[in-house]
Amino acid sequence: MRKKVLFLDRDGIIVEEDQVDSLEKVKYIPGVFGALSRLCQSGQFHVAMVSNQDGVGTPSFPQEAFEIPHQRIMQTLAGEGILFDDVHIDLSLPEDNCPGRKPGIGMLGEYQTDAYDLEHSVMIGDRLTDVQLAYNLGCKAIWFADSSRSSELGAELAPVCILVSDNWAQIASFLLDESNLAPRTTTLKRQTKETDITLSLNLDGGGLGTMETHLPFFDHMLEQILRHSGCDISLHAHGDLVVDEHHTVEDVGLALGTAFLEALGDKRGINRYGHEILPMDEVLAQVALDFSGRPYLQWNVSFSREYVGSFPTELVEHFFKSFSDSAKCNLSVTVSSGNGHHQIEAIFKAFARALRSAVHRNPYSDALPSTKGVL
């Protein structure tokens, strides 16, 4: 089978546009990890980085100033499951008129063979020269820019540009042909005499959003769910903290579980099961879950202290029990002994990554993952 190639620029779509000549300047584009991980793990593409890096090796930009941050970028991406089959970097200056410098295709001759399907390959970049490269190479382009700039493409480049967007989640869904699938989103409001919670959830997001409960340590833990689940979540909770933390933690767990239950819908096409074994320094956490429609919490945890900061550790179990009840899922949590902060953070990270696996949807199947015919 001929391979489709996903050509990716580096600066401007993976890391913020700048001369990245030090580790301190490396800043990643929001949503890039979740989206590129989905694209790489889909198995649909041969993935190649194509980048201009002006004047590397000159006195103003020594080789090591490029290599050190570049290798860190590649290592970080690999840790997120984003692996490149090829890396093509042109180090010339514009005045050198090098044929390998984008939009020239001198570096990319290997793809102009029968082994690759250029007609259905895609170049993603943030500059019009990236779209021009796609035109020169005979593939399609996605211009990583605000959609309002579409008119700047002109008559020549518009036919090869299949999407103009600076939203990585949208780009990934577009390329994986998930646009025909119903969006898995929900928005809810939970209001009682004790708490007032608003929550929005997108299961197919890029790990974007905010978590605000006015409990700093709890917010820190909820941010682990946001970061490691790959879901977009915006949660704002106001509770009766003058009484204590109990109602806020309980109701956030209930609201979050309800949101996942609603967003999953009939659960067709999902993995259903998720598990993660996660080390954090001296601690090992294990979390397994099943969106079975039957709530049950197995809690094999003994914390080393009663409080982390001002947060009662007994409420961690209550949060996960509330989530399990409202999401109607089986949830099993185990953690080794160790520092209390590490124990709790490892649990939340493992939980988030188990969620990520369980809610993953196969874009090519809507089969219900149950022999009963219902979940």
PDB file of all heavy atoms in Angstrom, residues 66-91:
ATOM      1  N   PHE A  66      21.137  25.207  18.401  1.00  0.00           N
ATOM      2  CA  PHE A  66      19.980  24.587  17.768  1.00  0.00           C
ATOM      3  C   PHE A  66      19.759  23.173  18.276  1.00  0.00           C
ATOM      4  O   PHE A  66      18.646  22.782  18.619  1.00  0.00           O
ATOM      5  CB  PHE A  66      20.158  24.556  16.248  1.00  0.00           C
ATOM      6  CG  PHE A  66      19.181  23.652  15.554  1.00  0.00           C
ATOM      7  CD1 PHE A  66      17.848  24.016  15.423  1.00  0.00           C
ATOM      8  CD2 PHE A  66      19.575  22.409  15.071  1.00  0.00           C
ATOM      9  CE1 PHE A  66      16.931  23.180  14.803  1.00  0.00           C
ATOM     10  CE2 PHE A  66      18.683  21.560  14.453  1.00  0.00           C
ATOM     11  CZ  PHE A  66      17.354  21.945  14.313  1.00  0.00           C
ATOM     12  N   GLU A  67      20.812  22.376  18.354  1.00  0.00           N
ATOM     13  CA  GLU A  67      20.679  20.955  18.636  1.00  0.00           C
ATOM     14  C   GLU A  67      20.117  20.677  20.031  1.00  0.00           C
ATOM     15  O   GLU A  67      19.282  19.784  20.205  1.00  0.00           O
ATOM     16  CB  GLU A  67      22.029  20.252  18.491  1.00  0.00           C
ATOM     17  CG  GLU A  67      22.478  20.084  17.053  1.00  0.00           C
ATOM     18  CD  GLU A  67      21.600  19.122  16.262  1.00  0.00           C
ATOM     19  OE1 GLU A  67      20.850  18.331  16.885  1.00  0.00           O
ATOM     20  OE2 GLU A  67      21.646  19.166  15.025  1.00  0.00           O
ATOM     21  N   ILE A  68      20.561  21.421  21.046  1.00  0.00           N
ATOM     22  CA  ILE A  68      20.140  21.121  22.418  1.00  0.00           C
ATOM     23  C   ILE A  68      18.627  21.298  22.584  1.00  0.00           C
ATOM     24  O   ILE A  68      17.929  20.373  23.013  1.00  0.00           O
ATOM     25  CB  ILE A  68      20.941  21.959  23.437  1.00  0.00           C
ATOM     26  CG1 ILE A  68      22.407  21.504  23.438  1.00  0.00           C
ATOM     27  CG2 ILE A  68      20.337  21.835  24.838  1.00  0.00           C
ATOM     28  CD1 ILE A  68      23.322  22.357  24.290  1.00  0.00           C
ATOM     29  N   PRO A  69      18.047  22.477  22.244  1.00  0.00           N
ATOM     30  CA  PRO A  69      16.583  22.591  22.373  1.00  0.00           C
ATOM     31  C   PRO A  69      15.831  21.693  21.395  1.00  0.00           C
ATOM     32  O   PRO A  69      14.762  21.176  21.722  1.00  0.00           O
ATOM     33  CB  PRO A  69      16.304  24.067  22.123  1.00  0.00           C
ATOM     34  CG  PRO A  69      17.510  24.599  21.455  1.00  0.00           C
ATOM     35  CD  PRO A  69      18.664  23.770  21.908  1.00  0.00           C
ATOM     36  N   HIS A  70      16.398  21.473  20.183  1.00  0.00           N
ATOM     37  CA  HIS A  70      15.702  20.616  19.215  1.00  0.00           C
ATOM     38  C   HIS A  70      15.585  19.190  19.738  1.00  0.00           C
ATOM     39  O   HIS A  70      14.508  18.569  19.632  1.00  0.00           O
ATOM     40  CB  HIS A  70      16.448  20.615  17.879  1.00  0.00           C
ATOM     41  CG  HIS A  70      15.826  19.700  16.855  1.00  0.00           C
ATOM     42  ND1 HIS A  70      14.609  19.967  16.269  1.00  0.00           N
ATOM     43  CD2 HIS A  70      16.245  18.502  16.344  1.00  0.00           C
ATOM     44  CE1 HIS A  70      14.292  18.989  15.431  1.00  0.00           C
ATOM     45  NE2 HIS A  70      15.272  18.090  15.469  1.00  0.00           N
ATOM     46  N   GLN A  71      16.658  18.664  20.311  1.00  0.00           N
ATOM     47  CA  GLN A  71      16.596  17.309  20.849  1.00  0.00           C
ATOM     48  C   GLN A  71      15.627  17.226  22.023  1.00  0.00           C
ATOM     49  O   GLN A  71      14.932  16.216  22.195  1.00  0.00           O
ATOM     50  CB  GLN A  71      17.999  16.837  21.258  1.00  0.00           C
ATOM     51  CG  GLN A  71      18.937  16.610  20.078  1.00  0.00           C
ATOM     52  CD  GLN A  71      18.357  15.657  19.038  1.00  0.00           C
ATOM     53  OE1 GLN A  71      17.763  14.628  19.375  1.00  0.00           O
ATOM     54  NE2 GLN A  71      18.528  16.006  17.766  1.00  0.00           N
ATOM     55  N   ARG A  72      15.555  18.273  22.835  1.00  0.00           N
ATOM     56  CA  ARG A  72      14.593  18.280  23.937  1.00  0.00           C
ATOM     57  C   ARG A  72      13.163  18.269  23.389  1.00  0.00           C
ATOM     58  O   ARG A  72      12.298  17.562  23.919  1.00  0.00           O
ATOM     59  CB  ARG A  72      14.811  19.508  24.825  1.00  0.00           C
ATOM     60  CG  ARG A  72      13.785  19.660  25.947  1.00  0.00           C
ATOM     61  CD  ARG A  72      13.848  18.549  26.969  1.00  0.00           C
ATOM     62  NE  ARG A  72      15.118  18.521  27.665  1.00  0.00           N
ATOM     63  CZ  ARG A  72      15.417  19.292  28.717  1.00  0.00           C
ATOM     64  NH1 ARG A  72      14.523  20.134  29.204  1.00  0.00           N
ATOM     65  NH2 ARG A  72      16.593  19.210  29.287  1.00  0.00           N
ATOM     66  N   ILE A  73      12.917  19.046  22.347  1.00  0.00           N
ATOM     67  CA  ILE A  73      11.593  19.053  21.719  1.00  0.00           C
ATOM     68  C   ILE A  73      11.227  17.651  21.229  1.00  0.00           C
ATOM     69  O   ILE A  73      10.130  17.145  21.479  1.00  0.00           O
ATOM     70  CB  ILE A  73      11.548  20.061  20.550  1.00  0.00           C
ATOM     71  CG1 ILE A  73      11.637  21.493  21.078  1.00  0.00           C
ATOM     72  CG2 ILE A  73      10.278  19.876  19.715  1.00  0.00           C
ATOM     73  CD1 ILE A  73      11.895  22.526  19.996  1.00  0.00           C
ATOM     74  N   MET A  74      12.161  17.005  20.542  1.00  0.00           N
ATOM     75  CA  MET A  74      11.886  15.687  19.985  1.00  0.00           C
ATOM     76  C   MET A  74      11.675  14.657  21.087  1.00  0.00           C
ATOM     77  O   MET A  74      10.813  13.770  20.975  1.00  0.00           O
ATOM     78  CB  MET A  74      13.042  15.258  19.068  1.00  0.00           C
ATOM     79  CG  MET A  74      13.265  16.190  17.886  1.00  0.00           C
ATOM     80  SD  MET A  74      11.816  16.334  16.792  1.00  0.00           S
ATOM     81  CE  MET A  74      11.927  14.788  15.900  1.00  0.00           C
ATOM     82  N   GLN A  75      12.439  14.753  22.179  1.00  0.00           N
ATOM     83  CA  GLN A  75      12.272  13.827  23.295  1.00  0.00           C
ATOM     84  C   GLN A  75      10.912  14.023  23.971  1.00  0.00           C
ATOM     85  O   GLN A  75      10.245  13.055  24.342  1.00  0.00           O
ATOM     86  CB  GLN A  75      13.396  14.033  24.305  1.00  0.00           C
ATOM     87  CG  GLN A  75      14.758  13.573  23.810  1.00  0.00           C
ATOM     88  CD  GLN A  75      15.902  14.059  24.691  1.00  0.00           C
ATOM     89  OE1 GLN A  75      15.678  14.706  25.724  1.00  0.00           O
ATOM     90  NE2 GLN A  75      17.122  13.776  24.280  1.00  0.00           N
ATOM     91  N   THR A  76      10.502  15.283  24.128  1.00  0.00           N
ATOM     92  CA  THR A  76       9.208  15.569  24.743  1.00  0.00           C
ATOM     93  C   THR A  76       8.072  15.031  23.879  1.00  0.00           C
ATOM     94  O   THR A  76       7.130  14.407  24.377  1.00  0.00           O
ATOM     95  CB  THR A  76       9.036  17.076  24.961  1.00  0.00           C
ATOM     96  OG1 THR A  76      10.099  17.560  25.787  1.00  0.00           O
ATOM     97  CG2 THR A  76       7.704  17.394  25.616  1.00  0.00           C
ATOM     98  N   LEU A  77       8.168  15.242  22.577  1.00  0.00           N
ATOM     99  CA  LEU A  77       7.142  14.736  21.664  1.00  0.00           C
ATOM    100  C   LEU A  77       7.093  13.210  21.701  1.00  0.00           C
ATOM    101  O   LEU A  77       6.011  12.612  21.731  1.00  0.00           O
ATOM    102  CB  LEU A  77       7.421  15.223  20.243  1.00  0.00           C
ATOM    103  CG  LEU A  77       7.278  16.734  20.008  1.00  0.00           C
ATOM    104  CD1 LEU A  77       7.773  17.100  18.619  1.00  0.00           C
ATOM    105  CD2 LEU A  77       5.835  17.191  20.192  1.00  0.00           C
ATOM    106  N   ALA A  78       8.254  12.572  21.724  1.00  0.00           N
ATOM    107  CA  ALA A  78       8.289  11.109  21.772  1.00  0.00           C
ATOM    108  C   ALA A  78       7.625  10.587  23.035  1.00  0.00           C
ATOM    109  O   ALA A  78       6.940   9.561  23.015  1.00  0.00           O
ATOM    110  CB  ALA A  78       9.735  10.624  21.682  1.00  0.00           C
ATOM    111  N   GLY A  79       7.808  11.319  24.140  1.00  0.00           N
ATOM    112  CA  GLY A  79       7.171  10.925  25.388  1.00  0.00           C
ATOM    113  C   GLY A  79       5.661  11.005  25.339  1.00  0.00           C
ATOM    114  O   GLY A  79       4.969  10.379  26.152  1.00  0.00           O
ATOM    115  N   GLU A  80       5.136  11.772  24.387  1.00  0.00           N
ATOM    116  CA  GLU A  80       3.685  11.877  24.197  1.00  0.00           C
ATOM    117  C   GLU A  80       3.186  10.963  23.088  1.00  0.00           C
ATOM    118  O   GLU A  80       2.047  11.078  22.641  1.00  0.00           O
ATOM    119  CB  GLU A  80       3.311  13.329  23.871  1.00  0.00           C
ATOM    120  CG  GLU A  80       3.618  14.324  24.981  1.00  0.00           C
ATOM    121  CD  GLU A  80       2.729  14.115  26.190  1.00  0.00           C
ATOM    122  OE1 GLU A  80       1.591  13.660  26.011  1.00  0.00           O
ATOM    123  OE2 GLU A  80       3.181  14.407  27.310  1.00  0.00           O
ATOM    124  N   GLY A  81       4.055  10.058  22.617  1.00  0.00           N
ATOM    125  CA  GLY A  81       3.650   9.140  21.553  1.00  0.00           C
ATOM    126  C   GLY A  81       3.734   9.740  20.173  1.00  0.00           C
ATOM    127  O   GLY A  81       3.161   9.202  19.222  1.00  0.00           O
ATOM    128  N   ILE A  82       4.457  10.860  20.026  1.00  0.00           N
ATOM    129  CA  ILE A  82       4.574  11.552  18.733  1.00  0.00           C
ATOM    130  C   ILE A  82       5.952  11.253  18.169  1.00  0.00           C
ATOM    131  O   ILE A  82       6.965  11.838  18.583  1.00  0.00           O
ATOM    132  CB  ILE A  82       4.362  13.064  18.903  1.00  0.00           C
ATOM    133  CG1 ILE A  82       2.988  13.337  19.530  1.00  0.00           C
ATOM    134  CG2 ILE A  82       4.502  13.790  17.570  1.00  0.00           C
ATOM    135  CD1 ILE A  82       2.829  14.729  20.098  1.00  0.00           C
ATOM    136  N   LEU A  83       6.010  10.318  17.237  1.00  0.00           N
ATOM    137  CA  LEU A  83       7.269   9.859  16.674  1.00  0.00           C
ATOM    138  C   LEU A  83       7.335  10.201  15.193  1.00  0.00           C
ATOM    139  O   LEU A  83       6.345  10.045  14.467  1.00  0.00           O
ATOM    140  CB  LEU A  83       7.406   8.348  16.869  1.00  0.00           C
ATOM    141  CG  LEU A  83       7.351   7.845  18.320  1.00  0.00           C
ATOM    142  CD1 LEU A  83       7.355   6.328  18.356  1.00  0.00           C
ATOM    143  CD2 LEU A  83       8.505   8.411  19.130  1.00  0.00           C
ATOM    144  N   PHE A  84       8.489  10.637  14.750  1.00  0.00           N
ATOM    145  CA  PHE A  84       8.681  11.032  13.356  1.00  0.00           C
ATOM    146  C   PHE A  84       9.422   9.934  12.612  1.00  0.00           C
ATOM    147  O   PHE A  84      10.443   9.420  13.085  1.00  0.00           O
ATOM    148  CB  PHE A  84       9.455  12.349  13.272  1.00  0.00           C
ATOM    149  CG  PHE A  84       8.674  13.539  13.743  1.00  0.00           C
ATOM    150  CD1 PHE A  84       8.635  13.869  15.085  1.00  0.00           C
ATOM    151  CD2 PHE A  84       7.959  14.314  12.847  1.00  0.00           C
ATOM    152  CE1 PHE A  84       7.897  14.955  15.537  1.00  0.00           C
ATOM    153  CE2 PHE A  84       7.214  15.404  13.282  1.00  0.00           C
ATOM    154  CZ  PHE A  84       7.191  15.721  14.625  1.00  0.00           C
ATOM    155  N   ASP A  85       8.913   9.584  11.439  1.00  0.00           N
ATOM    156  CA  ASP A  85       9.608   8.625  10.584  1.00  0.00           C
ATOM    157  C   ASP A  85      10.811   9.266   9.912  1.00  0.00           C
ATOM    158  O   ASP A  85      11.821   8.598   9.674  1.00  0.00           O
ATOM    159  CB  ASP A  85       8.640   8.075   9.531  1.00  0.00           C
ATOM    160  CG  ASP A  85       7.479   7.318  10.156  1.00  0.00           C
ATOM    161  OD1 ASP A  85       7.728   6.255  10.754  1.00  0.00           O
ATOM    162  OD2 ASP A  85       6.339   7.809  10.077  1.00  0.00           O
ATOM    163  N   ASP A  86      10.709  10.548   9.585  1.00  0.00           N
ATOM    164  CA  ASP A  86      11.810  11.285   8.946  1.00  0.00           C
ATOM    165  C   ASP A  86      11.858  12.693   9.502  1.00  0.00           C
ATOM    166  O   ASP A  86      10.813  13.262   9.874  1.00  0.00           O
ATOM    167  CB  ASP A  86      11.622  11.371   7.421  1.00  0.00           C
ATOM    168  CG  ASP A  86      11.599  10.015   6.749  1.00  0.00           C
ATOM    169  OD1 ASP A  86      12.504   9.199   7.030  1.00  0.00           O
ATOM    170  OD2 ASP A  86      10.681   9.766   5.945  1.00  0.00           O
ATOM    171  N   VAL A  87      13.055  13.262   9.521  1.00  0.00           N
ATOM    172  CA  VAL A  87      13.233  14.658   9.909  1.00  0.00           C
ATOM    173  C   VAL A  87      14.108  15.330   8.848  1.00  0.00           C
ATOM    174  O   VAL A  87      15.241  14.897   8.601  1.00  0.00           O
ATOM    175  CB  VAL A  87      13.891  14.786  11.299  1.00  0.00           C
ATOM    176  CG1 VAL A  87      14.144  16.257  11.630  1.00  0.00           C
ATOM    177  CG2 VAL A  87      13.020  14.140  12.368  1.00  0.00           C
ATOM    178  N   HIS A  88      13.556  16.372   8.209  1.00  0.00           N
ATOM    179  CA  HIS A  88      14.280  17.114   7.180  1.00  0.00           C
ATOM    180  C   HIS A  88      14.394  18.567   7.628  1.00  0.00           C
ATOM    181  O   HIS A  88      13.376  19.258   7.769  1.00  0.00           O
ATOM    182  CB  HIS A  88      13.537  17.053   5.843  1.00  0.00           C
ATOM    183  CG  HIS A  88      13.236  15.660   5.379  1.00  0.00           C
ATOM    184  ND1 HIS A  88      14.169  14.860   4.765  1.00  0.00           N
ATOM    185  CD2 HIS A  88      12.099  14.918   5.462  1.00  0.00           C
ATOM    186  CE1 HIS A  88      13.624  13.688   4.474  1.00  0.00           C
ATOM    187  NE2 HIS A  88      12.369  13.703   4.891  1.00  0.00           N
ATOM    188  N   ILE A  89      15.610  19.026   7.845  1.00  0.00           N
ATOM    189  CA  ILE A  89      15.820  20.399   8.318  1.00  0.00           C
ATOM    190  C   ILE A  89      16.830  21.080   7.406  1.00  0.00           C
ATOM    191  O   ILE A  89      17.968  20.605   7.241  1.00  0.00           O
ATOM    192  CB  ILE A  89      16.306  20.421   9.775  1.00  0.00           C
ATOM    193  CG1 ILE A  89      15.249  19.795  10.685  1.00  0.00           C
ATOM    194  CG2 ILE A  89      16.604  21.846  10.220  1.00  0.00           C
ATOM    195  CD1 ILE A  89      15.645  19.706  12.139  1.00  0.00           C
ATOM    196  N   ASP A  90      16.420  22.178   6.806  1.00  0.00           N
ATOM    197  CA  ASP A  90      17.319  22.985   5.984  1.00  0.00           C
ATOM    198  C   ASP A  90      17.928  24.078   6.854  1.00  0.00           C
ATOM    199  O   ASP A  90      17.202  24.828   7.513  1.00  0.00           O
ATOM    200  CB  ASP A  90      16.559  23.604   4.809  1.00  0.00           C
ATOM    201  CG  ASP A  90      17.470  24.407   3.915  1.00  0.00           C
ATOM    202  OD1 ASP A  90      18.107  23.806   3.020  1.00  0.00           O
ATOM    203  OD2 ASP A  90      17.585  25.636   4.113  1.00  0.00           O
ATOM    204  N   LEU A  91      19.252  24.187   6.840  1.00  0.00           N
ATOM    205  CA  LEU A  91      19.963  25.101   7.733  1.00  0.00           C
ATOM    206  C   LEU A  91      20.450  26.358   7.024  1.00  0.00           C
ATOM    207  O   LEU A  91      21.179  27.151   7.614  1.00  0.00           O
ATOM    208  CB  LEU A  91      21.170  24.366   8.350  1.00  0.00           C
ATOM    209  CG  LEU A  91      20.872  23.025   9.030  1.00  0.00           C
ATOM    210  CD1 LEU A  91      22.153  22.424   9.583  1.00  0.00           C
ATOM    211  CD2 LEU A  91      19.833  23.179  10.127  1.00  0.00           C
TER     212      LEU A  91
END
